[in-house]
Amino acid sequence: EIVNDTRRAVPERTSAIRLVVNSPFAETSETFSKLLEITQPQEVQLAAVHAAAAVNDPGVGPLIQAVKDFKPGLTRDNAMGALAYIGKDAVEAVPAIIGILESGVGVSGAVKALAQFGPLAKEALPALRKAAEEDFMNADLARDAISKIEGK
């Protein structure tokens, strides 16, 4: 498989990753898990996040793991966004995203993802209200997310 061949050039691997979405997710979820490992180049991780989000399948475990495991940065923010895009089938990621919000690191990405979940993220309201009051940099984002979650 080109996607897992670390001897191949990164652009070649990322192109192959985009083709993996044509296979049933049940057959490719293990591949996505490997592509999201921290040892992979960031370009490969991002391609895997975007490809997994395009599948829109309830088997979103690799993305949830990416949110939980990755240090703050582009890959984790993209994984949170992809989970929010998937919606109700990925709602099990909301507690992990709340954890990121409460950690104080990666707040804007967490707030944006929770806003995308809308009413499915009601359990995030206390943490978002706290961010709206205490986090000057993200207060407006947090208030916007609260409005979306409350359906206003």
Side-chain angles (χ1 to χ4, degrees), residues 30 32-41 45 70:
E30 190 173 319
F32 279 114
S33 293
K34 290 177 183 174
L35 294 172
L36 290 169
E37 290 175 354
I38 197 76
T39 56
Q40 296 288 349
Q45 294 172 2
F70 281 123

Side-chain angles (χ1 to χ4, degrees), residues 8 30 82 118 120:
R8 302 273 188 150
E30 190 173 319
L120 296 172

Side-chain angles (χ1 to χ4, degrees), residues 20-134:
V20 171
V21 299
N22 296 323
S23 302
F25 194 70
E27 296 173 14
T28 60
S29 63
E30 190 173 319
T31 298
F32 279 114
S33 293
K34 290 177 183 174
L35 294 172
L36 290 169
E37 290 175 354
I38 197 76
T39 56
Q40 296 288 349
Q42 189 171 34
E43 295 89 348
V44 169
Q45 294 172 2
L46 289 173
V49 164
H50 290 287
V55 173
N56 200 8
D57 187 281
V60 293
L63 285 175
I64 294 170
Q65 203 57 46
V67 169
K68 290 179 179 177
D69 292 348
F70 281 123
K71 294 181 171 104
L74 191 56
T75 302
R76 185 174 77 176
D77 286 352
N78 276 283
M80 286 189 290
L83 287 164
Y85 175 78
I86 291 168
K88 66 179 175 65
D89 289 331
V91 75
E92 65 191 83
V94 169
I97 297 172
I98 293 169
I100 292 166
L101 172 62
E102 292 173 337
S103 77
V105 180
V107 171
S108 65
V111 170
K112 289 174 187 174
L114 292 167
Q116 281 187 270
F117 273 108
L120 296 172
K122 284 187 191 252
E123 66 188 280
L125 287 171
L128 287 166
R129 286 188 181 104
K130 184 176 180 183
E133 292 173 13
E134 299 176 6

Side-chain angles (χ1 to χ4, degrees), residues 10-27:
V10 170
E12 187 178 7
R13 291 180 69 201
T14 57
S15 293
I17 291 166
R18 286 189 281 279
L19 297 175
V20 171
V21 299
N22 296 323
S23 302
F25 194 70
E27 296 173 14

